[in-house]
Amino acid sequence: YGATKVGSNAAQSSVAAVQPDVPTRNSIKSVVAGGYVAGLEQVAAPVLSVRYTASTAQRNGITIRGQDTCTTNPEPGKQNCREKLVNMDQVICGVAYDNSRIRYKRWAGMRDPNGNDLPAWRRDHSNGDYASDMHCWRVRVAAPPVFVTDPEGDTTPFSTLWPSISDTSGVEAAYKHVQVFVNVTREVTFIAQDPNPLDSVTVFVLEEPGIPAGMRVGRSTCIRRAENQPICGTRDVITPGYPNVAWTAQSTIGSAVEAAHQPRGAILQGVPCCEG
C-alpha cells in the first residue's frame, strides 16, 4: 500500500533471521535492518510510526469505478459510475525488545522461546533479550461517500467530462446543465454511495443557494445492494486453531449494507418568468 516507517529502527525490512557473516559468530538480533548492526538503534524511549495515505491515483487500498468498469444501461437505482471501493481491513503487529543481553552480558530472556515446531508467524526474535507481548492493530480504510452516476451522466447529472475528474467539488466543468422548459415537468434523481459496508448515507440540499422556485424535493431513501452489486467485507472471525495454524480473512462479497446507496429525487416544473 506504499506505507512507510518513520522513527526508531525504521530501516527494519523483515523479521527473518539474520545470517551472520562468520558462521561461528552469533547475530545480536534476528531482525533484518539496512546496515544491520550499524543501523540498529537502542534508545531509551523509542518511537516508531507507520505513515500511510490512501490515494485513488495510486490505487493503494482505494479506487474509483471509472467509465470502463461501471455498469452500462443500469437498472434504476443501480448506477455505480464514480463508486469508491476500499480494500478489506489490514492488521499490523509489533513486538518491543530491550538490550538486556548486551547490557548485562548474559542471556536474560527466555532460553528457548521458539522450540522446533513453532510456526514462523509466532517466532520470538529476542535472542536473549526481554520481549514484550505481541500487540496488533486493525487498520480500516475509510472514505467519504460520493455521488454516483451512469455512463452518460444522466442520474446525479454530470457532464461528459466526469470520467476525467475524480473530485468534482467546485469544478463547474463536471456539472451538467439541466434544461427545464415552460410548463414541462422534469424529475432528476441524485444517488450517493458510501464505500464502507457499515456506514449509512443521507442526501441533503444546501440552504445556499437553495432550490429553484416551484421545485419539490423527495425523501432520501435507502437502496440495498443486490447480488450483482457486491461490496467487499470481512468476517471478523479468526481462523479456528489460530495461532497454531495460519490466520486467513474470510472475505464476504455482497455483504449486507444498511444504506450503501441513497437516492433523492427532485421534481422541477417550468413556470413562466413573467405574465402579460
Side-chain angles (χ1 to χ4, degrees):
Y1 286 6
T4 58
K5 289 175 293 187
V6 179
S8 307
N9 287 314
Q12 177 193 344
S13 59
S14 172
V15 294
V18 172
Q19 296 297 324
D21 299 330
V22 180
T24 57
R25 188 179 69 188
N26 294 326
S27 299
I28 300 175
K29 292 277 189 188
S30 57
V31 175
V32 176
Y36 176 63
V37 176
L40 188 64
E41 299 175 354
Q42 297 285 357
V43 296
V47 176
L48 178 64
S49 302
V50 177
R51 293 181 180 176
Y52 162 69
T53 301
S55 169
T56 54
Q58 299 182 25
R59 294 177 58 114
N60 61 340
I62 182 171
T63 186
I64 295 179
R65 196 186 296 276
Q67 193 173 28
D68 56 336
T69 59
C70 62
T71 304
T72 58
N73 301 319
E75 300 175 11
K78 307 299 182 183
Q79 294 82 357
N80 62 359
C81 296
R82 302 190 72 250
E83 179 181 53
K84 287 183 179 178
L85 304 171
V86 297
N87 276 47
M88 68 172 65
D89 299 350
Q90 304 295 307
V91 176
I92 297 177
C93 295
V95 177
Y97 301 112
D98 67 10
N99 62 342
S100 298
R101 182 183 175 189
I102 297 177
R103 184 177 181 183
Y104 299 110
K105 303 300 189 293
R106 65 183 181 86
W107 194 280
M110 296 179 62
R111 183 172 297 276
D112 187 9
N114 293 315
N116 297 322
D117 57 350
L118 197 67
W121 54 87
R122 293 186 59 193
R123 295 191 68 80
D124 183 300
H125 299 279
S126 56
N127 280 2
D129 291 330
Y130 286 118
S132 71
D133 295 331
M134 180 182 293
H135 192 83
C136 298
W137 297 263
R138 188 183 186 113
V139 181
R140 175 164 295 169
V141 180
V146 65
F147 281 107
V148 294
T149 187
D150 51 76
E152 291 73 32
D154 293 330
T155 301
T156 314
F158 281 94
S159 73
T160 55
L161 298 178
W162 73 259
S164 62
I165 305 174
S166 58
D167 185 356
T168 63
S169 302
V171 182
E172 188 175 351
Y175 307 147
K176 178 177 289 186
H177 294 265
V178 180
Q179 291 184 334
V180 182
F181 298 99
V182 175
N183 295 326
V184 174
T185 300
R186 182 165 184 180
E187 183 174 351
V188 180
T189 301
F190 298 85
I191 300 180
Q193 177 267 348
D194 195 285
N196 300 106
L198 300 180
D199 290 354
S200 59
V201 188
T202 303
V203 179
F204 293 97
V205 178
L206 295 178
E207 183 177 359
E208 177 64 39
I211 61 176
M215 175 179 171
R216 291 181 290 119
V217 180
R219 295 183 59 187
S220 180
T221 57
C222 173
I223 299 178
R224 298 187 67 84
R225 300 182 75 100
E227 292 183 359
N228 61 349
Q229 281 193 309
I231 189 170
C232 182
T234 54
R235 291 171 50 199
D236 194 12
V237 178
I238 296 177
T239 307
Y242 182 84
N244 295 317
V245 296
W247 178 82
T248 57
Q250 301 296 322
S251 61
T252 304
I253 303 302
S255 59
V257 181
E258 182 64 25
H261 284 64
Q262 277 283 356
R264 191 159 199 163
I267 300 178
L268 301 87
Q269 184 174 12
V271 296
C273 64
C274 54
E275 295 182 359

